Amino acid sequence: MILSAQKVASGTYAELWWDGDLIAECHAFESKYSKTKEDVAMCGQFISDSKMTGAKGTGSLSLYKVYRRWKEYADGVLAGKDIRPTLIGKVADPDSPDSATRVALYNVSFDEVPLVSFEAGKIIDEQVPFTFTAHKFLD
């Protein structure tokens, strides 16, 4: 089988939605599950196997600094509140229709909440890791 490069999805056609709002300043997004596994030694088998014993949903997003998007979350930290939004990542490259994906992430908890950072002559880019506890493929 020969793969045509035009069928490879481009992140140019991706979107991030945060509690129903399109986040236009997002330029990178990733989410994944990391499995927790325990080694299992078995009689008669030299190579050990493993058993999944749990999992953790993790991710990161990168936003250009355009708004005071983190104020509510920073105020929540001071108040002892962990505000948890729903994020939806979408890929819809018109040249790669078979790659179209839209996934909702639920119970998102930001590991870090940006306050202020900058460097002279540089675009401000806020990179924020997060965890989540559930997902749903919407398409």
Side-chain angles (χ1 to χ4, degrees):
M1 178 176 170
I2 297 174
L3 175 66
S4 171
Q6 85 182 85
K7 297 295 182 191
V8 176
S10 169
T12 300
Y13 300 98
E15 296 175 343
L16 174 65
W17 293 78
W18 182 330
D19 280 343
D21 294 325
L22 177 62
I23 306 304
E25 70 272 24
C26 180
H27 65 90
F29 181 74
E30 176 185 40
S31 62
K32 62 185 174 185
Y33 283 119
S34 297
K35 297 188 284 186
T36 304
K37 299 191 284 186
E38 189 171 326
D39 285 344
V40 178
M42 300 173 69
C43 294
Q45 184 174 317
F46 183 72
I47 306 297
S48 66
D49 203 344
S50 62
K51 170 75 175 174
M52 184 174 70
T53 58
K56 184 173 186 176
T58 62
S60 64
L61 54 88
S62 296
L63 306 176
Y64 293 125
K65 177 70 173 171
V66 178
Y67 305 105
R68 292 188 319 172
R69 190 165 300 285
W70 299 105
K71 183 182 182 317
E72 175 187 6
Y73 293 86
D75 292 347
V77 169
L78 285 180
K81 296 179 182 177
D82 186 12
I83 301 167
R84 297 194 174 209
T86 296
L87 301 179
I88 297 175
K90 176 183 175 183
V91 175
D93 185 333
D95 226 10
S96 181
D98 292 338
S99 70
T101 306
R102 196 166 58 110
V103 179
L105 306 178
Y106 302 105
N107 204 28
V108 172
S109 176
F110 296 111
D111 299 339
E112 300 172 359
V113 177
L115 297 174
V116 64
S117 65
F118 56 86
E119 184 177 343
K122 302 282 184 171
I123 298 293
I124 298 176
D125 183 9
E126 300 171 324
Q127 299 176 3
V128 182
F130 61 85
T131 58
F132 61 95
T133 60
H135 81 280
K136 181 178 181 182
F137 281 89
L138 303 175
D139 292 335

